[in-house]
Every structure is written in C-alpha cells, then in structure tokens.
Amino acid sequence: MARPRRIGILTAGGDSPGLNAAIRGIGKAAIGHHGMQVIGFRDGFRGLAEDRSVRLDARLSGILTLGGTILGTSRDKPHRMLVGGEIMDMTPSIVGTYEKHHLDALVCLGGDGTAKNALRLVRAGLNIITLPKTIDNDLVLTDATFGFATALDIATDAIDRLHSTAHSHHRIIVVEIMGHRAGWLTLGAGIAGGADVILIPEIPYSAESIAEAIRRRVRGGSNFSIVAVAEGAMNTEEAGPYAAAEARKRAASTPEEAVTAGQALGALEAAHAGNTMRLAAQLEALTGLESRVTILGYVQRGGTPSAADRLLATRLGCAGADLIRDGVFGVMVAARGEGTEPVPLELVAGKRKPVPPDHSWVLAARHVGTCLGD
Ligand code: F6P
C-alpha cells in the first residue's frame, strides 16, 4: 500500500484576510478528500529553513473566520536570509527539511515575491504550487487574489465614514490606502466609497489639478472633498525618477546590480514617505479648506475575511489539492471566472499587474466626474 502523500504549507509575505481560510481549504481537501497528510511551517520560508513545523490535521477547524495566519509569516527569502548576522543562501537547508519530512509537495501562500521565491525552490528540485494572496490584487494572470475583497470592504467602509466629518467641518479629508506599486485597492475603494479624488501610483498627479477640482466642487456648492490616495501615489516630478529606477532594477543583469538598483528604489520610496501629509498641506494652502489625514494602514489587512474571500480562498485551496493529486507542480493556482487554472510560476514570479490607464474602473471613475490627479 503506497504511503499517503505528504504536503507542506507555508504563508509568506504580508499577512492578509483569507490566509487561514486558504490553509483550511487546501488542508481539509488534502486530508479529507485525498487522504493526504499535511504539515505547516512557521513564519514563511524561515520556518522551512529552520525546520519549525506543526501537524495541521487537528488544527484546521475554527480557522475559516480568523484573520492573519495561524502559521505566522515573514518576508524572508530562501536565497538571501539573515542568519546569525550574515546573509546566507538557505536553499540547501530548505531542501533538507523538505526531504526530512518526506514531502511530496509544498504549498506557498503569497504574492509576487513569494512566487519568485517558490520558483527558485522549483529550480532546486522541489514540487511546489502557490496560491495567490495579496490585498493589492496586483498578481498577474489571475482574476483575483484573496485578501483584496476584504480590504476593499474595509477601505470602502472607512471612506463612507469619513464623509461625516468632511461635510460637517467643510474639510478636505485625505485618506491613505495601501498599495505601494499598484492602485487597485485605492481605485476600487475610491469608486465604491464615492471619493471625489482618487490618486494611484499608475497616474502621477499634480496638486494644482487636484486643487482646481476641489475648488470646482466648492463653486458647485460642495465645500468638502474626499481624496483617496494610494501609499505609492506620486506627483509628476517624482514619477520620472522612480520609473527610471524601476527600469534599472528590471534591467539588472547580476544579483549585485539588482541589490544596488533595489536600494536606489527603496531610497526613493523612503523619500515618498510623508507624501500624504505634504499633499494635504498643499491642498489646504491651494484651496483655503482645512485638510485632515487618515492613514488606514494595517486595519485593511485585519480581522475576519469577507464571505467573498472565504469562498475564493476555499476554492483555490481545493483546486490546489487536486493539482497535487494529479502531480501538477511549478504553478500558481489562478482564479479564472468561476473556476481555476494552473499558471506556470515563470509567468508570475516577480511580475506585478498595474492598473492600465484605460481600465474600465479608470474610465468609470472619470465618467462619474472623479478627479484622478492628472
Ligand atoms: O503587499 C501588501 C501590503 O499590505 C502593501 O499594500 C503594503 O504597502 C505592504 O504590504 C506593507 O508591507 P509590511 O507589512 O511589510 O509593512
């Protein structure tokens, strides 16, 4: 009698609503439907490198509605991990843990960075699938990522509530929403919440254009405005150098070049910190309306997942268990309409899905009169 297949599960990158629903989905399907054994590894790829594991069989009940991840997560990379103060390639340790536990497959729940790390481990000989997780919704070749729907609900509810103080005090309320390099969450919540201005990284903004839109609203009798701004939104002066730094990072032909270009990019991102406060002050000066800032931050990643995310995470997890049964590896389980599709990790790793300038959401925002900063 062949021994039951054994699969490992880890969660990596930023936490998001739906991670536990996905762990439950793939775990229950693997154990109950396919007769497999399931073990979890703590804190992303670090737990794998350090062989910190936990049997999941009895831990899958009661986690569907839990936020965060019962396994813990990290942004550690297998090939460049800080160990004892040194940056080390922990791939051999990871392969050793995989073999020690006689794993037949490893499931990595994460975003584009996780897909990149997973692909490296595929090339080291491991059987791997990934599930698409991120509140940013910026993974290519999947219709959806779990975490996004819940964050969209949270950010939209926040915008709804911020309208109260905006019109009561005749103020500009600037609300910063997560999304360093992709504006899906800000654009979606801005439209759903009826923001008057929506600023996303993909469309550089001019403070004067925004101020003129606000002044136009005042002339029309609305002496308040809601400005939804993505963490990574930039003005036109910043956008050029940033795009150039991103291009240098993409063009890097050696790991050293990639690290140097990444550091330059990081320095520019650090310089953008505080942009939201600066923009609010600029708009107050340009329009004469008081402005106030609310930064939603990690609230958007917290708490119980929405029904939509629970459903998405469960069905992606079950599809993942089916792929393992069929011996399909080296893929991301992509959401495709009502179904799923295995997409080769080579097509996903390290790629991001920015908001296209002619996307239907962008056109809808413009057509209802929303200012997009340009
Ligand atoms: O990638 C998801 C995300 O929440 C981004 O929207 C945000 O900019 C980033 O993670 C924050 O990263 P960290 O959790 O490491 O601070």
Side-chain angles (χ1 to χ4, degrees):
M1 175 114 165
R3 68 170 175 78
R5 288 196 185 155
R6 294 167 57 79
I7 65 174
I9 299 180
L10 65 81
T11 54
D15 73 299
S16 96
L19 273 171
N20 289 320
I23 293 169
R24 174 182 176 275
I26 194 155
K28 280 186 171 260
I31 296 166
H33 190 58
H34 298 296
M36 298 176 187
Q37 292 174 350
V38 181
I39 60 173
F41 290 92
R42 301 274 187 212
D43 305 332
F45 293 101
R46 179 169 291 275
L48 199 52
E50 297 169 352
D51 189 7
R52 289 186 286 119
S53 63
V54 57
R55 280 294 296 262
L56 281 180
D57 310 45
R59 295 169 183 255
L60 296 172
S61 295
I63 66 171
L64 174 65
T65 58
L66 286 185
T69 157
I70 59 170
L71 294 175
T73 184
S74 73
R75 291 189 182 278
D76 288 307
K77 301 179 173 70
H79 67 300
R80 290 179 53 80
M81 205 175 282
L82 188 63
V83 179
E86 274 184 70
I87 298 289
M88 294 180 67
D89 179 357
M90 296 302 283
T91 306
S93 303
I94 287 173
V95 173
T97 301
Y98 183 98
E99 289 168 350
K100 175 189 167 195
H101 289 272
H102 307 292
L103 295 182
D104 296 289
L106 174 69
V107 182
C108 304
L109 281 52
D112 63 291
T114 299
K116 233 162 98 172
N117 292 323
L119 181 56
R120 286 192 182 95
L121 295 179
V122 169
R123 288 171 177 158
L126 305 190
N127 293 334
I128 293 191
I129 64 168
T130 69
L131 299 187
K133 169 277 307 175
T134 175
I135 67 165
D136 294 342
N137 194 41
D138 62 351
L139 266 179
V140 298
L141 300 173
T142 178
D143 291 354
T145 62
F146 60 83
F148 176 68
T150 306
L152 185 63
D153 290 344
I154 293 168
T156 301
D157 180 66
I159 292 174
D160 289 350
R161 293 173 184 282
L162 287 167
H163 272 82
S164 307
T165 192
H167 62 66
S168 302
H169 287 264
H170 323 302
R171 276 170 170 167
I172 301 167
I173 296 291
V174 180
V175 52
E176 183 185 282
I177 294 172
M178 277 190 159
H180 257 122
R181 300 200 179 133
W184 295 103
L185 184 56
T186 303
L187 181 59
I191 293 170
D196 307 297
V197 181
I198 301 175
L199 307 176
I200 59 176
E202 296 88 342
I203 303 176
Y205 63 77
S206 137
E208 179 48 42
S209 302
I210 301 165
E212 182 45 34
I214 292 171
R215 288 192 283 260
R216 198 162 44 247
R217 281 179 47 80
V218 172
R219 290 194 294 270
S222 300
N223 48 11
F224 71 93
S225 284
I226 300 278
V227 178
V229 54
E231 284 176 293
M234 280 173 267
N235 61 40
T236 46
E237 294 73 39
E238 294 166 314
Y242 189 84
E246 273 202 313
R248 274 194 300 277
K249 184 156 189 266
R250 276 196 303 273
S253 54
T254 67
E256 294 70 22
E257 275 181 26
V259 169
T260 306
Q263 287 165 343
L265 208 51
L268 282 174
E269 281 181 355
H272 298 157
N275 261 11
T276 302
M277 300 302 285
R278 278 191 291 275
L279 175 62
Q282 269 182 302
L283 294 178
E284 181 165 325
L286 288 168
T287 64
L289 287 177
E290 271 188 332
S291 69
R292 292 291 187 275
V293 173
T294 293
I295 295 179
L296 296 185
Y298 297 88
V299 168
Q300 296 162 102
R301 293 189 351 202
T304 189
S306 67
D309 266 338
R310 297 178 198 184
L311 175 54
L312 177 62
T314 300
R315 68 186 187 82
L316 289 174
C318 292
D322 291 348
L323 289 177
I324 292 171
R325 173 203 57 201
D326 301 339
V328 176
F329 301 114
V331 297
M332 170 182 76
V333 182
R336 188 78 76 243
E338 296 300 307
T340 61
E341 193 171 304
V343 172
L345 284 170
E346 288 85 353
L347 304 179
V348 176
K351 297 186 177 62
R352 277 198 186 81
K353 180 173 67 179
V355 177
D358 60 349
H359 191 272
S360 62
W361 295 11
V362 172
L363 301 179
R366 291 193 193 282
H367 292 177
V368 297
T370 310
C371 166
L372 297 185
D374 52 358

